[in-house]
Amino acid sequence: MTVSLRSLSHNGFPVSGHAPQPKVPLVTLTLWRRIRNGGFQLSRIRRHARFRRPAPFAALAGTAVLAVALTACGGGDSSSSGDAKSDLASRKKMEISVNLTGSQAKAGRPVKVTLADGTLSSVTVTDAKGGKLGGKVAPDGRTWTSDRVAAPGTSYTVEAKEAKGATAKAEFATAAAGKVNKVSIVPGKDSTVGIGQPVSIVFDNPVKNRADVEKHLKVTTSDNTEGSWGWMQDYSGKDRVDWRPKEYWKPGTKVTLDADLNGVDSGTSGGWFVKDYKSDFTIGKNQIAKVDLGSHRLKLYRDGQLLKDIPISGGTPGGDKASWRGKTVLMAKEGTINMNSETVGLGKTYDKMVDYSMRLTWSGMYAHAAPWNYQHFGVANMSSGCIGMSDSDAKFVYGAVQVGDPFEIVGDDAKGTQALNNGYGEWNLGFDAWKAKSALTGTAATAG
């Protein structure tokens, strides 16, 4: 292709026409010529006469070649450029919606994230303290739902990622709880307890949504112990739920309670739970204290072998001073305490300091030293309801037993069977009857 100098321009002015022309012989400049493969190559310049190229033309020629070179490099891969633009466009268009919005969203609901178009690869929901809500992407890739509910009075940041790498973010906060419910848990964290100790949770406020609360309680054991939750009203009048195994625990079992209650509504007048609870404990020695009110003996067994046979005196039969019978559990080793008959509804019968006190019920039945009643040990039941023994025997038993050890009390002199909530009376129920007290249709749970 031959281009005449007259057709070129520089700075908006034509080289010929209005601009002055140099008085030099005509020069024909052949810049490009087409070759057979469809490309172009730079041809030689044929001069008819020597001349001095004007500065404007030199600048023009350099610019023309640069433009061609840049055009050739830039147009080398038009498809890649198109893909990049398409990908960028898709990233800009990524939109998500969250079911909880604003600064006063209702707590107690799972967080659900929906992608307008495309496929979700991951979603992260983080609270202001760095805690995260786990969840799962639906099979169709369009939605993600949290495993747990949003807690009251909490700010959350939602970050979603699409399969092609695009991201989107949203934020919301839940309304604060108008009323807060709390719990007390036994056994305490990192404790070692006897084979009869249940997991026991007492609630500060009423729990109307028992099934929902129970769903968030999990007991995990090292040997897959079978057991179940059971609801009752505690001796204090508060709502309570206990988890007991089908049979007494096996020694050495590791037990963990996870009460993932944060964000759970306990129901009318109960309020919201605003934190999770966790406790773990170990089952200690295999020990059982067997008390026979008829023979007036206490026999302490360890691993099935008799450890000590002790003469005792139980509660006076025929009235309020009689002892309770049944399978109870040692609640606490309280040492030396003041015992006052007025606190248990027995008038001004006694008021004294008592050594080696081992609590068996909330109503005030203990096993303890009772040297003032020595003449009745092994002979008659003449106490005000407790299991009394000598100082030396009480010291031995106190040193040997663990909180959580079962005390199995039998005998006709008792005033009745210990109530379910008067301490830990659940062992007086068969396992099927105990399972029926679960709020989840009475189905037993197997701890993993």
Side-chain angles (χ1 to χ4, degrees), residues 13 24 26 41 144 160 187 196 224 236 252 331 335 356 406 412 414 426-427 448:
F13 295 99
V24 295
L26 178 64
Q41 70 178 13
W144 177 96
N224 298 319
S236 65
M331 301 176 66
Y356 307 113
D412 293 337
E426 46 257 64
W427 293 109

Side-chain angles (χ1 to χ4, degrees), residues 289-421:
K290 296 188 176 184
V291 179
D292 189 333
L293 297 176
S295 64
H296 317 292
R297 310 295 295 187
L298 182 154
K299 295 180 180 181
L300 181 61
Y301 291 86
R302 178 178 293 171
D303 297 325
Q305 301 298 312
L306 181 62
L307 192 62
K308 189 80 169 178
D309 185 350
I310 298 169
I312 56 94
S313 178
T316 304
D320 290 339
K321 290 184 178 181
S323 300
W324 294 107
R325 64 171 166 260
K327 294 180 179 179
T328 188
V329 174
L330 178 57
M331 301 176 66
K333 296 166 67 174
E334 299 179 7
T336 300
I337 62 173
N338 176 259
M339 291 192 179
N340 188 317
S341 56
E342 292 184 283
T343 64
V344 292
L346 295 177
K348 297 183 178 181
T349 306
Y350 58 86
D351 182 5
K352 62 183 65 180
M353 301 303 293
V354 180
D355 296 330
Y356 307 113
S357 300
M358 296 165 273
R359 180 182 283 275
L360 300 177
T361 70
W362 283 124
S363 62
M365 187 170 75
Y366 284 78
H368 60 75
W372 57 85
N373 207 21
Y374 71 92
Q375 68 271 33
H376 300 298
F377 296 154
V379 177
N381 296 315
M382 294 297 291
S383 78
S384 295
C386 294
I387 308 301
M389 63 198 81
S390 69
D391 283 337
S392 60
D393 286 339
K395 181 179 181 180
F396 178 88
V397 174
Y398 191 91
V401 295
Q402 311 156 116
V403 170
D405 282 354
F407 275 61
E408 298 180 350
I409 305 171
V410 298
D412 293 337
D413 282 355
K415 58 186 174 184
T417 300
Q418 175 196 6
L420 180 69
N421 64 351

